[in-house]
C-alpha cells in the first residue's frame, strides 16, 4: 500500500487503527515543517531534535483527540510551538537565561569578522536575529517568515487574536530591522 | 542570500498579499534549508514502538501540560507531608490514626455518637 497519495484524514484514521506505517508517513510529511518551527524558535542545537521527536510522540498519543476542527499541520504546529515555548521557559528557569540577547548580538557581530560574506550561513544569521526577540514575538515571526502562514493562520496556530499577531509582528519587524541593519 | 535579501524577508512579514515570484523564491530558499538530521522519522518511530505498556508513562507525561504536572507534583508532595505528620503525631499508620481517632476508646466513641457525655 502506498501512503504518500493519501489525505491527512485518511492517514490519521489508519494510524488510529494501529497502522504504524501511516503514522510514519505523517512524520515524513510534516518533518520539515516541525524543523522550521522548532529550530526557528529554539535555534539549530541538540535540543531541537529532541523537541522535534517529542512533537510527534505527543501527536501519536493525542491522535484520538484530533477532531479535525483544525487542519492536521495547524494541529501539529500548535504542539510544536507549545513544546518549544515550554522548553524555552524551562531552560530560562534552569539557567537564568536561555538566549542571552547581548551574547546573541555579540555572536552576530563576531560573524562579521569573516571576509567572505557569502560564506556566512543565512539561516544562522536569521536564527541569531530571531534569538534576540522575545519568545512570543519569535513565534509570530517564525510562523510568518518560515512557515509562510497568513496573519489569520498564525493567529489560529498560536491561539491568539489577529490584532495581537499584527502588533507583535510590527514590533518584531522594528527590532529585526535594527538588528540586521547593525549587521555588516 | 545577502543582507538586503534578509531585510526583504523582514519587510514581507507585514505583507499578507501573495508574494511575487522573486519573493517566493527567496522564501522557499530559506524555508527549504530547515530539516532534522537524516533518519529522523526512523528515530521517532523507534521511540513510539519502544513505548511498551510499561513505558507508556513517557507518553502520558508528555501529554500532560506543564501546569497540570506542577499541580500533580505539588499535590503528591502535600500527601507525603500529611502522611509524615500523621505518623509523627499518631505513632502509627492505622485507619483510625488517619481519621484522627487513634486515641479514642470504644466507650468514648459511643458516648460521642449518642451524646451521653
Amino acid at each position: 500500500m502506498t501512503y504518500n497519495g493519501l489525505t491527512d484524514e485518511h492517514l490519521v484514521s489508519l494510524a488510529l487503527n494501529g497502522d504504524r506505517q501511516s503514522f510514519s508517513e505523517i512524520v515524513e510529511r510534516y518533518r520539515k515543517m516541525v524543523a522550521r518551527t522548532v529550530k526557528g524558535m529554539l535555534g539549530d542545537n541538540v535540543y531541537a531534535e529532541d523537541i522535534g521527536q517529542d512533537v510527534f510522540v505527543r501527536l501519536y498519543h493525542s491522535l484520538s483527540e484530533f477532531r479535525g476542527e483544525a487542519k492536521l499541520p495547524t494541529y501539529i504546529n500548535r504542539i510544536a510551538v507549545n513544546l518549544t515555548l515550554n522548553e524555552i521557559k524551562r531552560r530560562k528557569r534552569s539557567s537564568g537565561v536561555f538566549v542571552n540577547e547581548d551574547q546573541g548580538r555579540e555572536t552576530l557581530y563576531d560573524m562579521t569578522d569573516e571576509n567572505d560574506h557569502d560564506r556566512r550561513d543565512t539561516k544562522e544569521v536569521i536564527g541569531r536575529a530571531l534569538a534576540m526577540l522575545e519568545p512570543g514575538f519569535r513565534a509570530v515571526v517564525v510562523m510568518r517568515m518560515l512557515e509562510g502562514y497568513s496573519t489569520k493562520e498564525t493567529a489560529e496556530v498560536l491561539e491568539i487574536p489577529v490584532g495581537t499577531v499584527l502588533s507583535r509582528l510590527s514590533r518584531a519587524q522594528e527590532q529585526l530591522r535594527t538588528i540586521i541593519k547593525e549587521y555588516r | 542570500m545577502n543582507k538586503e535579501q534578509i531585510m526583504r524577508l523582514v519587510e514581507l512579514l507585514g505583507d499578507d498579499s501573495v508574494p511575487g515570484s522573486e519573493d517566493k523564491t527567496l522564501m522557499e530558499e530559506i524555508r527549504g534549508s530547515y530539516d532534522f538530521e537524516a533518519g529522523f522519522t526512523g528515530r521517532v518511530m523507534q521511540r513510539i514502538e519502544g513505548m511498551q505498556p510499561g513505558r507508556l508513562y513517557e507518553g502520558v507525561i508528555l501529554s500532560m501540560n506543564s501546569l497540570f504536572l506542577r499541580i500533580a507534583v505539588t499535590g503528591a508532595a502535600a500527601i507525603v507531608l500529611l502522611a509524615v505528620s500523621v505518623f509523627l503525631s499518631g505513632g502509627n499508620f492505622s485507619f483510625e490514626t488517619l481519621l484522627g481517632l487513634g486515641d479514642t476508646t470504644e466507650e468514648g466513641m459511643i458516648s460521642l455518637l449518642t451524646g451521653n457525655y
Side-chain angles (χ1 to χ4, degrees):
Chain A
M1 186 175 180
T2 53
Y3 290 87
N4 55 7
L6 299 180
T7 62
D8 287 349
E9 290 73 22
H10 199 164
L11 287 173
V12 168
S13 83
L14 285 172
L16 282 171
N17 286 322
D19 185 340
R20 293 262 165 91
Q21 195 57 41
S22 63
F23 189 76
S24 173
E25 172 61 25
I26 293 175
V27 179
E28 197 57 32
R29 202 172 277 187
Y30 294 111
R31 187 192 72 214
K32 285 190 175 185
M33 178 192 80
V34 171
R36 284 193 295 269
T37 299
V38 176
K39 291 188 174 186
M41 288 175 67
L42 204 60
D44 195 353
N45 54 44
V46 286
Y47 308 104
E49 158 97 17
D50 289 343
I51 301 294
Q53 286 187 23
D54 288 349
V55 170
F56 288 107
V57 171
R58 183 182 273 203
L59 173 71
Y60 184 80
H61 289 289
S62 64
L63 264 189
S64 56
E65 292 162 26
F66 176 66
R67 306 259 175 269
E69 287 151 2
K71 286 178 187 166
L72 186 64
T74 305
Y75 188 71
I76 298 174
N77 245 337
R78 208 172 276 164
I79 298 175
V81 169
N82 288 336
L83 288 185
T84 311
L85 286 176
N86 284 348
E87 176 66 13
I88 292 171
K89 272 186 218 156
R90 196 184 68 79
R91 299 191 66 75
K92 226 174 193 174
R93 264 203 312 271
S94 61
S95 66
V97 64
F98 174 43
V99 181
N100 184 327
E101 292 184 12
D102 292 335
Q103 198 179 27
R105 197 174 287 268
E106 201 174 281
T107 326
L108 191 72
Y109 289 153
D110 286 349
M111 294 173 74
T112 63
D113 291 342
E114 291 174 28
N115 291 324
D116 185 2
H117 284 224
D118 294 337
R119 274 200 328 215
R120 276 177 224 148
D121 189 352
T122 311
K123 194 173 90 179
E124 207 178 321
V125 174
I126 292 177
R128 288 186 192 282
L130 286 176
M132 289 184 223
L133 299 175
E134 279 176 38
F137 289 5
R138 212 183 301 166
V140 171
V141 174
V142 168
M143 290 301 115
R144 288 283 289 125
M145 188 192 276
L146 301 183
E147 297 296 5
Y149 284 148
S150 67
T151 316
K152 198 177 160 219
E153 287 166 332
T154 303
E156 202 185 325
V157 172
L158 301 177
E159 296 178 291
I160 52 175
V162 173
T164 309
V165 173
L166 289 170
S167 68
R168 285 187 189 177
L169 267 179
S170 155
R171 288 173 66 187
Q173 246 179 332
E174 266 175 49
Q175 291 179 20
L176 285 172
R177 274 187 206 118
T178 315
I179 292 164
I180 295 167
K181 224 173 251 172
E182 286 172 359
Y183 161 75
R184 290 177 297 261
Chain B
M1 199 182 278
N2 55 35
K3 183 181 161 181
E4 284 68 37
Q5 285 175 311
I6 297 176
M7 210 55 150
R8 178 74 191 137
L9 282 175
V10 173
E11 295 312 320
L12 286 171
L13 283 174
D15 186 1
D16 238 351
S17 60
V18 181
S21 63
E22 204 177 312
D23 290 337
K24 211 173 164 187
T25 313
L26 196 64
M27 287 169 168
E28 277 164 9
E29 194 184 321
I30 186 70
R31 282 171 199 159
S33 64
Y34 285 86
D35 201 353
F36 292 111
E37 295 290 312
F40 175 81
T41 304
R43 288 192 294 279
V44 170
M45 294 314 291
Q46 221 170 8
R47 220 175 121 183
I48 288 169
E49 275 153 26
M51 284 184 181
Q52 300 304 322
R55 294 185 62 202
L56 271 176
Y57 70 92
E58 192 180 347
V60 173
I61 285 178
L62 271 174
S63 309
M64 290 184 198
N65 65 42
S66 63
L67 182 68
F68 179 70
L69 191 66
R70 221 175 290 172
I71 293 169
V73 169
T74 312
I79 289 168
V80 170
L81 277 175
L82 189 66
V84 169
S85 137
V86 165
F87 185 78
L88 290 176
S89 60
N92 61 49
F93 244 153
S94 67
F95 185 62
E96 285 81 8
T97 317
L98 284 173
L99 293 176
L101 303 170
D103 297 331
T104 316
T105 60
E106 203 173 318
E107 290 78 18
M109 184 67 81
I110 290 167
S111 63
L112 187 72
L113 290 171
T114 55
N116 296 325
Y117 302 112

